[in-house]
Amino acid sequence: LTERGRRQQQQRLIEKLSGFSSSQVPVLLGGDFNDWNGRTRAYLCENGFNDCFPDHHAPEASSFPSFMPVLPLDKIFYANSRCVNVQV
């Protein structure tokens, strides 16, 4: 996926979730974002989402590659709620 394609996906995701994230409805968004450079995290945080891992001052959970995880590609974001605990 090119950087341009990734940005388009981010924009579509925010468009789809904007009605929820701007209301009082709790929103949980998690998965493998393949966020190698941190731009997806920055974009989501700029648009009202919080990242569970930094909120708990926990080192981001490394999840890639599965046989010897060294990169944190799996993420959990939330809006209109609070993250009580993060554990991998």
Side-chain angles (χ1 to χ4, degrees):
L1 187 63
T2 65
E3 189 60 33
R4 182 174 180 232
R6 189 177 308 279
R7 180 59 97 183
Q8 289 173 339
Q9 284 183 347
Q10 294 166 357
Q11 290 170 342
R12 279 190 298 243
L13 184 61
I14 292 300
E15 287 170 10
K16 295 284 185 190
L17 295 174
S18 64
F20 294 110
S21 62
S22 62
S23 70
Q24 295 303 315
V25 175
V27 180
L28 184 65
L29 179 63
D32 180 352
F33 287 85
N34 286 323
D35 190 20
W36 298 95
N37 55 22
R39 290 184 184 143
T40 298
R41 179 189 181 279
Y43 187 76
L44 288 171
C45 290
E46 288 167 7
N47 283 278
F49 285 85
N50 301 292
D51 186 342
C52 281
F53 291 107
D55 282 358
H56 284 274
H57 307 288
E60 292 189 323
S62 296
S63 57
F64 180 83
S66 61
F67 61 89
M68 186 184 289
V70 294
L71 297 173
L73 299 184
D74 296 302
K75 306 285 186 183
I76 303 170
F77 296 95
Y78 65 96
N80 305 325
S81 57
R82 66 186 185 104
C83 185
V84 176
N85 189 16
V86 177
Q87 186 176 357
V88 176

